[in-house]
Amino acid sequence: MLDAFILILFMVIVGALIGGVTNSLAIKMLFRPYRAYYIGKFKVPFTPGLIPKRRGELAEQLGKMVVDHLITPESLQKKVMNDDFQKDVTRWLSEELQPVFTSDKTVNEWMDILQVPVSSERLNVWLEEWIAVKIKDAKASYTSQTLEEALPEKWQEKVAENIPRLVDFIAGRAETYFTSPEGKMKVKIMIDDFLKERGMLGNMLGMFLGNTSVADKVQPEIVKFIKHEGTQEILFNLLTKEWSKLKQMKLEEFIDRLPEEDLIMTAQTSIVKLVNIEEHLSKPLSHWLEPHKQAFFQTQLPKWVDRGTDLLSRKIPNLMEKMHLQQIVQEQVESFSVGRLEELVLGISRREFKMITYLGALLGGVIGIIQGIIALLIS
């Protein structure tokens, strides 16, 4: 009985060793040896190991697996359009942009930081060039038109509405002038000159009026004439008629009287001074952004993220195609040394490989028991 037990135990130990060592060796042979060995011209069988020998195929299959099953356009689109992902992106952008909105650096300093090739001098040059082009284009476009065709209808109506005011203004200024000492003196000088030119007739008229000056008699009549409704009606009709004539004049009649270079230079100087780009660029960036900070972070930024992720989602299939993701994975795997591949695989599956070794030992032990029983029965 003892001999039978020893025999079975011996066979169990031998079977377990054979099963365990065989499985362990099989696992090792997945990676080792790393290269082929030769005896003369003959290659040693099972060299190199399975994975080094088929590394190219493995890299290709891994690339296909990643593209077809792991990182697919559908999975990326689902991730990008996920509400949590969009909230994370919005939160991250808010954190990154907060310092920009509160920055004390000037616009000029930010352009230097971002290496934007823009300065106040270049902007002023651009503005002057733009003004010159616009004036020349406007001149070319409007010279063949009449003033009536060029002016907006609202402007024309505004001018027509203001003619009565202009009449009142002219009459009022004339009355003020002729009732002033300067106006009275001017009337006196004109009448005296008139009487002198008439010789004896002028002297007779002066004698007829006695001590009263002719100017004193004429000046109140002039004022009455100015105040008279008929005079204002004449002045209104005259201005209306002149305005109608003016509207029919070609713009080239006005423009040709203005030297183009002087007009452009004057406009450039005035507009550049009015815009004052240098002053704006010298102010802190927060001066321009702070008033819009709340609206930007609460309204605009979430909208931009939503539109950006939507656009990115629609472009993902094309982007993945352009990136050649499968080729990237394949090249990356092929660039790994066999030792690194072994570390990666064993790092993931070391426990499973140990279990395979133990399973081989267990099966070998079971087979040893069966063999021992069979040997006892036969003997």
Side-chain angles (χ1 to χ4, degrees), residues 92-112:
W92 173 73
L93 287 175
S94 298
E95 293 173 355
E96 294 296 320
L97 292 175
Q98 282 287 349
V100 177
F101 276 75
T102 58
S103 173
D104 292 330
K105 292 185 174 67
T106 65
V107 179
N108 278 324
E109 290 173 332
W110 271 105
M111 288 194 293
D112 289 339

mmCIF file with all atom_site columns, all heavy atoms in Angstrom, residues 92-112:
data_model
loop_
_atom_site.group_PDB
_atom_site.id
_atom_site.type_symbol
_atom_site.label_atom_id
_atom_site.label_alt_id
_atom_site.label_comp_id
_atom_site.label_asym_id
_atom_site.label_entity_id
_atom_site.label_seq_id
_atom_site.pdbx_PDB_ins_code
_atom_site.Cartn_x
_atom_site.Cartn_y
_atom_site.Cartn_z
_atom_site.occupancy
_atom_site.B_iso_or_equiv
_atom_site.pdbx_formal_charge
_atom_site.auth_seq_id
_atom_site.auth_comp_id
_atom_site.auth_asym_id
_atom_site.auth_atom_id
_atom_site.pdbx_PDB_model_num
ATOM 1   N N   . TRP A 1 92  ? -13.589 74.727  -17.974 1.00 0.00 ? 92  TRP A N   1
ATOM 2   C CA  . TRP A 1 92  ? -12.144 74.870  -18.211 1.00 0.00 ? 92  TRP A CA  1
ATOM 3   C C   . TRP A 1 92  ? -11.838 76.173  -18.949 1.00 0.00 ? 92  TRP A C   1
ATOM 4   O O   . TRP A 1 92  ? -10.912 76.907  -18.571 1.00 0.00 ? 92  TRP A O   1
ATOM 5   C CB  . TRP A 1 92  ? -11.648 73.674  -19.019 1.00 0.00 ? 92  TRP A CB  1
ATOM 6   C CG  . TRP A 1 92  ? -10.217 73.817  -19.445 1.00 0.00 ? 92  TRP A CG  1
ATOM 7   C CD1 . TRP A 1 92  ? -9.102  73.717  -18.676 1.00 0.00 ? 92  TRP A CD1 1
ATOM 8   C CD2 . TRP A 1 92  ? -9.758  74.122  -20.771 1.00 0.00 ? 92  TRP A CD2 1
ATOM 9   N NE1 . TRP A 1 92  ? -7.974  73.927  -19.435 1.00 0.00 ? 92  TRP A NE1 1
ATOM 10  C CE2 . TRP A 1 92  ? -8.341  74.181  -20.722 1.00 0.00 ? 92  TRP A CE2 1
ATOM 11  C CE3 . TRP A 1 92  ? -10.397 74.338  -21.980 1.00 0.00 ? 92  TRP A CE3 1
ATOM 12  C CZ2 . TRP A 1 92  ? -7.581  74.454  -21.841 1.00 0.00 ? 92  TRP A CZ2 1
ATOM 13  C CZ3 . TRP A 1 92  ? -9.630  74.611  -23.105 1.00 0.00 ? 92  TRP A CZ3 1
ATOM 14  C CH2 . TRP A 1 92  ? -8.241  74.667  -23.026 1.00 0.00 ? 92  TRP A CH2 1
ATOM 15  N N   . LEU A 1 93  ? -12.619 76.480  -19.987 1.00 0.00 ? 93  LEU A N   1
ATOM 16  C CA  . LEU A 1 93  ? -12.403 77.724  -20.723 1.00 0.00 ? 93  LEU A CA  1
ATOM 17  C C   . LEU A 1 93  ? -12.656 78.937  -19.843 1.00 0.00 ? 93  LEU A C   1
ATOM 18  O O   . LEU A 1 93  ? -11.947 79.953  -19.949 1.00 0.00 ? 93  LEU A O   1
ATOM 19  C CB  . LEU A 1 93  ? -13.321 77.764  -21.957 1.00 0.00 ? 93  LEU A CB  1
ATOM 20  C CG  . LEU A 1 93  ? -12.944 76.831  -23.110 1.00 0.00 ? 93  LEU A CG  1
ATOM 21  C CD1 . LEU A 1 93  ? -14.006 76.887  -24.205 1.00 0.00 ? 93  LEU A CD1 1
ATOM 22  C CD2 . LEU A 1 93  ? -11.584 77.184  -23.689 1.00 0.00 ? 93  LEU A CD2 1
ATOM 23  N N   . SER A 1 94  ? -13.655 78.860  -18.969 1.00 0.00 ? 94  SER A N   1
ATOM 24  C CA  . SER A 1 94  ? -13.935 79.976  -18.057 1.00 0.00 ? 94  SER A CA  1
ATOM 25  C C   . SER A 1 94  ? -12.744 80.235  -17.144 1.00 0.00 ? 94  SER A C   1
ATOM 26  O O   . SER A 1 94  ? -12.344 81.386  -16.937 1.00 0.00 ? 94  SER A O   1
ATOM 27  C CB  . SER A 1 94  ? -15.181 79.672  -17.226 1.00 0.00 ? 94  SER A CB  1
ATOM 28  O OG  . SER A 1 94  ? -16.325 79.534  -18.044 1.00 0.00 ? 94  SER A OG  1
ATOM 29  N N   . GLU A 1 95  ? -12.176 79.165  -16.605 1.00 0.00 ? 95  GLU A N   1
ATOM 30  C CA  . GLU A 1 95  ? -11.010 79.312  -15.727 1.00 0.00 ? 95  GLU A CA  1
ATOM 31  C C   . GLU A 1 95  ? -9.820  79.895  -16.474 1.00 0.00 ? 95  GLU A C   1
ATOM 32  O O   . GLU A 1 95  ? -9.057  80.709  -15.928 1.00 0.00 ? 95  GLU A O   1
ATOM 33  C CB  . GLU A 1 95  ? -10.648 77.957  -15.117 1.00 0.00 ? 95  GLU A CB  1
ATOM 34  C CG  . GLU A 1 95  ? -11.702 77.417  -14.152 1.00 0.00 ? 95  GLU A CG  1
ATOM 35  C CD  . GLU A 1 95  ? -11.397 75.999  -13.703 1.00 0.00 ? 95  GLU A CD  1
ATOM 36  O OE1 . GLU A 1 95  ? -10.404 75.423  -14.224 1.00 0.00 ? 95  GLU A OE1 1
ATOM 37  O OE2 . GLU A 1 95  ? -12.141 75.465  -12.853 1.00 0.00 ? 95  GLU A OE2 1
ATOM 38  N N   . GLU A 1 96  ? -9.643  79.469  -17.719 1.00 0.00 ? 96  GLU A N   1
ATOM 39  C CA  . GLU A 1 96  ? -8.508  79.951  -18.502 1.00 0.00 ? 96  GLU A CA  1
ATOM 40  C C   . GLU A 1 96  ? -8.683  81.404  -18.945 1.00 0.00 ? 96  GLU A C   1
ATOM 41  O O   . GLU A 1 96  ? -7.702  82.152  -19.055 1.00 0.00 ? 96  GLU A O   1
ATOM 42  C CB  . GLU A 1 96  ? -8.308  79.062  -19.740 1.00 0.00 ? 96  GLU A CB  1
ATOM 43  C CG  . GLU A 1 96  ? -7.882  77.643  -19.431 1.00 0.00 ? 96  GLU A CG  1
ATOM 44  C CD  . GLU A 1 96  ? -6.516  77.583  -18.761 1.00 0.00 ? 96  GLU A CD  1
ATOM 45  O OE1 . GLU A 1 96  ? -5.629  78.355  -19.174 1.00 0.00 ? 96  GLU A OE1 1
ATOM 46  O OE2 . GLU A 1 96  ? -6.347  76.781  -17.829 1.00 0.00 ? 96  GLU A OE2 1
ATOM 47  N N   . LEU A 1 97  ? -9.922  81.825  -19.195 1.00 0.00 ? 97  LEU A N   1
ATOM 48  C CA  . LEU A 1 97  ? -10.174 83.164  -19.736 1.00 0.00 ? 97  LEU A CA  1
ATOM 49  C C   . LEU A 1 97  ? -10.393 84.216  -18.658 1.00 0.00 ? 97  LEU A C   1
ATOM 50  O O   . LEU A 1 97  ? -10.333 85.415  -18.959 1.00 0.00 ? 97  LEU A O   1
ATOM 51  C CB  . LEU A 1 97  ? -11.391 83.130  -20.672 1.00 0.00 ? 97  LEU A CB  1
ATOM 52  C CG  . LEU A 1 97  ? -11.201 82.351  -21.976 1.00 0.00 ? 97  LEU A CG  1
ATOM 53  C CD1 . LEU A 1 97  ? -12.513 82.292  -22.745 1.00 0.00 ? 97  LEU A CD1 1
ATOM 54  C CD2 . LEU A 1 97  ? -10.116 82.968  -22.836 1.00 0.00 ? 97  LEU A CD2 1
ATOM 55  N N   . GLN A 1 98  ? -10.668 83.810  -17.426 1.00 0.00 ? 98  GLN A N   1
ATOM 56  C CA  . GLN A 1 98  ? -10.893 84.780  -16.354 1.00 0.00 ? 98  GLN A CA  1
ATOM 57  C C   . GLN A 1 98  ? -9.731  85.762  -16.202 1.00 0.00 ? 98  GLN A C   1
ATOM 58  O O   . GLN A 1 98  ? -9.941  86.975  -16.109 1.00 0.00 ? 98  GLN A O   1
ATOM 59  C CB  . GLN A 1 98  ? -11.141 84.046  -15.024 1.00 0.00 ? 98  GLN A CB  1
ATOM 60  C CG  . GLN A 1 98  ? -12.524 83.464  -14.856 1.00 0.00 ? 98  GLN A CG  1
ATOM 61  C CD  . GLN A 1 98  ? -13.585 84.516  -14.604 1.00 0.00 ? 98  GLN A CD  1
ATOM 62  O OE1 . GLN A 1 98  ? -13.285 85.680  -14.354 1.00 0.00 ? 98  GLN A OE1 1
ATOM 63  N NE2 . GLN A 1 98  ? -14.844 84.114  -14.695 1.00 0.00 ? 98  GLN A NE2 1
ATOM 64  N N   . PRO A 1 99  ? -8.463  85.279  -16.178 1.00 0.00 ? 99  PRO A N   1
ATOM 65  C CA  . PRO A 1 99  ? -7.347  86.233  -16.056 1.00 0.00 ? 99  PRO A CA  1
ATOM 66  C C   . PRO A 1 99  ? -7.263  87.225  -17.216 1.00 0.00 ? 99  PRO A C   1
ATOM 67  O O   . PRO A 1 99  ? -6.778  88.341  -17.047 1.00 0.00 ? 99  PRO A O   1
ATOM 68  C CB  . PRO A 1 99  ? -6.112  85.314  -16.027 1.00 0.00 ? 99  PRO A CB  1
ATOM 69  C CG  . PRO A 1 99  ? -6.625  83.987  -15.594 1.00 0.00 ? 99  PRO A CG  1
ATOM 70  C CD  . PRO A 1 99  ? -8.001  83.886  -16.165 1.00 0.00 ? 99  PRO A CD  1
ATOM 71  N N   . VAL A 1 100 ? -7.719  86.812  -18.401 1.00 0.00 ? 100 VAL A N   1
ATOM 72  C CA  . VAL A 1 100 ? -7.682  87.710  -19.557 1.00 0.00 ? 100 VAL A CA  1
ATOM 73  C C   . VAL A 1 100 ? -8.653  88.871  -19.351 1.00 0.00 ? 100 VAL A C   1
ATOM 74  O O   . VAL A 1 100 ? -8.332  90.031  -19.626 1.00 0.00 ? 100 VAL A O   1
ATOM 75  C CB  . VAL A 1 100 ? -8.039  86.939  -20.844 1.00 0.00 ? 100 VAL A CB  1
ATOM 76  C CG1 . VAL A 1 100 ? -8.079  87.897  -22.039 1.00 0.00 ? 100 VAL A CG1 1
ATOM 77  C CG2 . VAL A 1 100 ? -7.028  85.830  -21.094 1.00 0.00 ? 100 VAL A CG2 1
ATOM 78  N N   . PHE A 1 101 ? -9.843  88.579  -18.824 1.00 0.00 ? 101 PHE A N   1
ATOM 79  C CA  . PHE A 1 101 ? -10.866 89.614  -18.650 1.00 0.00 ? 101 PHE A CA  1
ATOM 80  C C   . PHE A 1 101 ? -10.521 90.587  -17.523 1.00 0.00 ? 101 PHE A C   1
ATOM 81  O O   . PHE A 1 101 ? -11.056 91.681  -17.478 1.00 0.00 ? 101 PHE A O   1
ATOM 82  C CB  . PHE A 1 101 ? -12.222 88.966  -18.387 1.00 0.00 ? 101 PHE A CB  1
ATOM 83  C CG  . PHE A 1 101 ? -12.948 88.562  -19.628 1.00 0.00 ? 101 PHE A CG  1
ATOM 84  C CD1 . PHE A 1 101 ? -12.563 87.444  -20.342 1.00 0.00 ? 101 PHE A CD1 1
ATOM 85  C CD2 . PHE A 1 101 ? -14.011 89.315  -20.108 1.00 0.00 ? 101 PHE A CD2 1
ATOM 86  C CE1 . PHE A 1 101 ? -13.229 87.063  -21.503 1.00 0.00 ? 101 PHE A CE1 1
ATOM 87  C CE2 . PHE A 1 101 ? -14.681 88.947  -21.264 1.00 0.00 ? 101 PHE A CE2 1
ATOM 88  C CZ  . PHE A 1 101 ? -14.289 87.825  -21.967 1.00 0.00 ? 101 PHE A CZ  1
ATOM 89  N N   . THR A 1 102 ? -9.656  90.181  -16.608 1.00 0.00 ? 102 THR A N   1
ATOM 90  C CA  . THR A 1 102 ? -9.268  91.060  -15.499 1.00 0.00 ? 102 THR A CA  1
ATOM 91  C C   . THR A 1 102 ? -7.834  91.560  -15.641 1.00 0.00 ? 102 THR A C   1
ATOM 92  O O   . THR A 1 102 ? -7.274  92.106  -14.692 1.00 0.00 ? 102 THR A O   1
ATOM 93  C CB  . THR A 1 102 ? -9.429  90.311  -14.172 1.00 0.00 ? 102 THR A CB  1
ATOM 94  O OG1 . THR A 1 102 ? -8.628  89.117  -14.195 1.00 0.00 ? 102 THR A OG1 1
ATOM 95  C CG2 . THR A 1 102 ? -10.889 89.937  -13.931 1.00 0.00 ? 102 THR A CG2 1
ATOM 96  N N   . SER A 1 103 ? -7.254  91.372  -16.802 1.00 0.00 ? 103 SER A N   1
ATOM 97  C CA  . SER A 1 103 ? -5.843  91.714  -17.012 1.00 0.00 ? 103 SER A CA  1
ATOM 98  C C   . SER A 1 103 ? -5.619  93.218  -16.999 1.00 0.00 ? 103 SER A C   1
ATOM 99  O O   . SER A 1 103 ? -6.402  93.998  -17.541 1.00 0.00 ? 103 SER A O   1
ATOM 100 C CB  . SER A 1 103 ? -5.364  91.137  -18.352 1.00 0.00 ? 103 SER A CB  1
ATOM 101 O OG  . SER A 1 103 ? -4.064  91.577  -18.645 1.00 0.00 ? 103 SER A OG  1
ATOM 102 N N   . ASP A 1 104 ? -4.509  93.624  -16.334 1.00 0.00 ? 104 ASP A N   1
ATOM 103 C CA  . ASP A 1 104 ? -4.111  95.030  -16.329 1.00 0.00 ? 104 ASP A CA  1
ATOM 104 C C   . ASP A 1 104 ? -3.170  95.356  -17.487 1.00 0.00 ? 104 ASP A C   1
ATOM 105 O O   . ASP A 1 104 ? -2.807  96.524  -17.664 1.00 0.00 ? 104 ASP A O   1
ATOM 106 C CB  . ASP A 1 104 ? -3.403  95.373  -15.007 1.00 0.00 ? 104 ASP A CB  1
ATOM 107 C CG  . ASP A 1 104 ? -4.376  95.326  -13.832 1.00 0.00 ? 104 ASP A CG  1
ATOM 108 O OD1 . ASP A 1 104 ? -5.575  95.602  -14.056 1.00 0.00 ? 104 ASP A OD1 1
ATOM 109 O OD2 . ASP A 1 104 ? -3.935  95.018  -12.706 1.00 0.00 ? 104 ASP A OD2 1
ATOM 110 N N   . LYS A 1 105 ? -2.781  94.364  -18.242 1.00 0.00 ? 105 LYS A N   1
ATOM 111 C CA  . LYS A 1 105 ? -1.918  94.613  -19.401 1.00 0.00 ? 105 LYS A CA  1
ATOM 112 C C   . LYS A 1 105 ? -2.702  95.353  -20.475 1.00 0.00 ? 105 LYS A C   1
ATOM 113 O O   . LYS A 1 105 ? -3.896  95.134  -20.653 1.00 0.00 ? 105 LYS A O   1
ATOM 114 C CB  . LYS A 1 105 ? -1.379  93.293  -19.967 1.00 0.00 ? 105 LYS A CB  1
ATOM 115 C CG  . LYS A 1 105 ? -0.388  92.572  -19.067 1.00 0.00 ? 105 LYS A CG  1
ATOM 116 C CD  . LYS A 1 105 ? 0.177   91.357  -19.783 1.00 0.00 ? 105 LYS A CD  1
ATOM 117 C CE  . LYS A 1 105 ? 1.276   90.684  -18.981 1.00 0.00 ? 105 LYS A CE  1
ATOM 118 N NZ  . LYS A 1 105 ? 0.778   90.074  -17.744 1.00 0.00 ? 105 LYS A NZ  1
ATOM 119 N N   . THR A 1 106 ? -2.021  96.221  -21.190 1.00 0.00 ? 106 THR A N   1
ATOM 120 C CA  . THR A 1 106 ? -2.668  96.980  -22.257 1.00 0.00 ? 106 THR A CA  1
ATOM 121 C C   . THR A 1 106 ? -2.889  96.086  -23.476 1.00 0.00 ? 106 THR A C   1
ATOM 122 O O   . THR A 1 106 ? -2.332  94.991  -23.572 1.00 0.00 ? 106 THR A O   1
ATOM 123 C CB  . THR A 1 106 ? -1.819  98.189  -22.659 1.00 0.00 ? 106 THR A CB  1
ATOM 124 O OG1 . THR A 1 106 ? -0.583  97.723  -23.230 1.00 0.00 ? 106 THR A OG1 1
ATOM 125 C CG2 . THR A 1 106 ? -1.522  99.075  -21.463 1.00 0.00 ? 106 THR A CG2 1
ATOM 126 N N   . VAL A 1 107 ? -3.685  96.604  -24.385 1.00 0.00 ? 107 VAL A N   1
ATOM 127 C CA  . VAL A 1 107 ? -3.932  95.868  -25.626 1.00 0.00 ? 107 VAL A CA  1
ATOM 128 C C   . VAL A 1 107 ? -2.621  95.677  -26.385 1.00 0.00 ? 107 VAL A C   1
ATOM 129 O O   . VAL A 1 107 ? -2.367  94.609  -26.960 1.00 0.00 ? 107 VAL A O   1
ATOM 130 C CB  . VAL A 1 107 ? -4.966  96.607  -26.498 1.00 0.00 ? 107 VAL A CB  1
ATOM 131 C CG1 . VAL A 1 107 ? -5.213  95.855  -27.802 1.00 0.00 ? 107 VAL A CG1 1
ATOM 132 C CG2 . VAL A 1 107 ? -6.282  96.778  -25.743 1.00 0.00 ? 107 VAL A CG2 1
ATOM 133 N N   . ASN A 1 108 ? -1.778  96.695  -26.380 1.00 0.00 ? 108 ASN A N   1
ATOM 134 C CA  . ASN A 1 108 ? -0.471  96.589  -27.051 1.00 0.00 ? 108 ASN A CA  1
ATOM 135 C C   . ASN A 1 108 ? 0.373   95.470  -26.452 1.00 0.00 ? 108 ASN A C   1
ATOM 136 O O   . ASN A 1 108 ? 1.008   94.696  -27.176 1.00 0.00 ? 108 ASN A O   1
ATOM 137 C CB  . ASN A 1 108 ? 0.286   97.914  -26.932 1.00 0.00 ? 108 ASN A CB  1
ATOM 138 C CG  . ASN A 1 108 ? -0.153  98.928  -27.982 1.00 0.00 ? 108 ASN A CG  1
ATOM 139 O OD1 . ASN A 1 108 ? -0.450  98.561  -29.116 1.00 0.00 ? 108 ASN A OD1 1
ATOM 140 N ND2 . ASN A 1 108 ? -0.209  100.188 -27.598 1.00 0.00 ? 108 ASN A ND2 1
ATOM 141 N N   . GLU A 1 109 ? 0.369   95.365  -25.121 1.00 0.00 ? 109 GLU A N   1
ATOM 142 C CA  . GLU A 1 109 ? 1.160   94.320  -24.464 1.00 0.00 ? 109 GLU A CA  1
ATOM 143 C C   . GLU A 1 109 ? 0.615   92.932  -24.792 1.00 0.00 ? 109 GLU A C   1
ATOM 144 O O   . GLU A 1 109 ? 1.388   91.990  -25.004 1.00 0.00 ? 109 GLU A O   1
ATOM 145 C CB  . GLU A 1 109 ? 1.147   94.547  -22.948 1.00 0.00 ? 109 GLU A CB  1
ATOM 146 C CG  . GLU A 1 109 ? 1.939   95.767  -22.512 1.00 0.00 ? 109 GLU A CG  1
ATOM 147 C CD  . GLU A 1 109 ? 1.791   96.076  -21.042 1.00 0.00 ? 109 GLU A CD  1
ATOM 148 O OE1 . GLU A 1 109 ? 0.738   95.728  -20.463 1.00 0.00 ? 109 GLU A OE1 1
ATOM 149 O OE2 . GLU A 1 109 ? 2.722   96.652  -20.446 1.00 0.00 ? 109 GLU A OE2 1
ATOM 150 N N   . TRP A 1 110 ? -0.697  92.803  -24.850 1.00 0.00 ? 110 TRP A N   1
ATOM 151 C CA  . TRP A 1 110 ? -1.279  91.506  -25.204 1.00 0.00 ? 110 TRP A CA  1
ATOM 152 C C   . TRP A 1 110 ? -0.944  91.118  -26.637 1.00 0.00 ? 110 TRP A C   1
ATOM 153 O O   . TRP A 1 110 ? -0.693  89.945  -26.927 1.00 0.00 ? 110 TRP A O   1
ATOM 154 C CB  . TRP A 1 110 ? -2.797  91.548  -25.008 1.00 0.00 ? 110 TRP A CB  1
ATOM 155 C CG  . TRP A 1 110 ? -3.201  91.148  -23.625 1.00 0.00 ? 110 TRP A CG  1
ATOM 156 C CD1 . TRP A 1 110 ? -3.624  91.958  -22.617 1.00 0.00 ? 110 TRP A CD1 1
ATOM 157 C CD2 . TRP A 1 110 ? -3.204  89.828  -23.082 1.00 0.00 ? 110 TRP A CD2 1
ATOM 158 N NE1 . TRP A 1 110 ? -3.890  91.237  -21.478 1.00 0.00 ? 110 TRP A NE1 1
ATOM 159 C CE2 . TRP A 1 110 ? -3.652  89.914  -21.737 1.00 0.00 ? 110 TRP A CE2 1
ATOM 160 C CE3 . TRP A 1 110 ? -2.875  88.580  -23.592 1.00 0.00 ? 110 TRP A CE3 1
ATOM 161 C CZ2 . TRP A 1 110 ? -3.766  88.801  -20.915 1.00 0.00 ? 110 TRP A CZ2 1
ATOM 162 C CZ3 . TRP A 1 110 ? -2.995  87.461  -22.769 1.00 0.00 ? 110 TRP A CZ3 1
ATOM 163 C CH2 . TRP A 1 110 ? -3.435  87.578  -21.450 1.00 0.00 ? 110 TRP A CH2 1
ATOM 164 N N   . MET A 1 111 ? -0.919  92.097  -27.523 1.00 0.00 ? 111 MET A N   1
ATOM 165 C CA  . MET A 1 111 ? -0.561  91.788  -28.914 1.00 0.00 ? 111 MET A CA  1
ATOM 166 C C   . MET A 1 111 ? 0.897   91.361  -29.015 1.00 0.00 ? 111 MET A C   1
ATOM 167 O O   . MET A 1 111 ? 1.247   90.512  -29.833 1.00 0.00 ? 111 MET A O   1
ATOM 168 C CB  . MET A 1 111 ? -0.852  92.990  -29.811 1.00 0.00 ? 111 MET A CB  1
ATOM 169 C CG  . MET A 1 111 ? -2.338  93.214  -30.039 1.00 0.00 ? 111 MET A CG  1
ATOM 170 S SD  . MET A 1 111 ? -2.723  94.348  -31.381 1.00 0.00 ? 111 MET A SD  1
ATOM 171 C CE  . MET A 1 111 ? -2.103  95.882  -30.689 1.00 0.00 ? 111 MET A CE  1
ATOM 172 N N   . ASP A 1 112 ? 1.753   91.933  -28.159 1.00 0.00 ? 112 ASP A N   1
ATOM 173 C CA  . ASP A 1 112 ? 3.149   91.490  -28.128 1.00 0.00 ? 112 ASP A CA  1
ATOM 174 C C   . ASP A 1 112 ? 3.249   90.067  -27.589 1.00 0.00 ? 112 ASP A C   1
ATOM 175 O O   . ASP A 1 112 ? 4.016   89.246  -28.111 1.00 0.00 ? 112 ASP A O   1
ATOM 176 C CB  . ASP A 1 112 ? 3.976   92.438  -27.252 1.00 0.00 ? 112 ASP A CB  1
ATOM 177 C CG  . ASP A 1 112 ? 4.173   93.794  -27.910 1.00 0.00 ? 112 ASP A CG  1
ATOM 178 O OD1 . ASP A 1 112 ? 4.028   93.874  -29.147 1.00 0.00 ? 112 ASP A OD1 1
ATOM 179 O OD2 . ASP A 1 112 ? 4.446   94.770  -27.185 1.00 0.00 ? 112 ASP A OD2 1
#
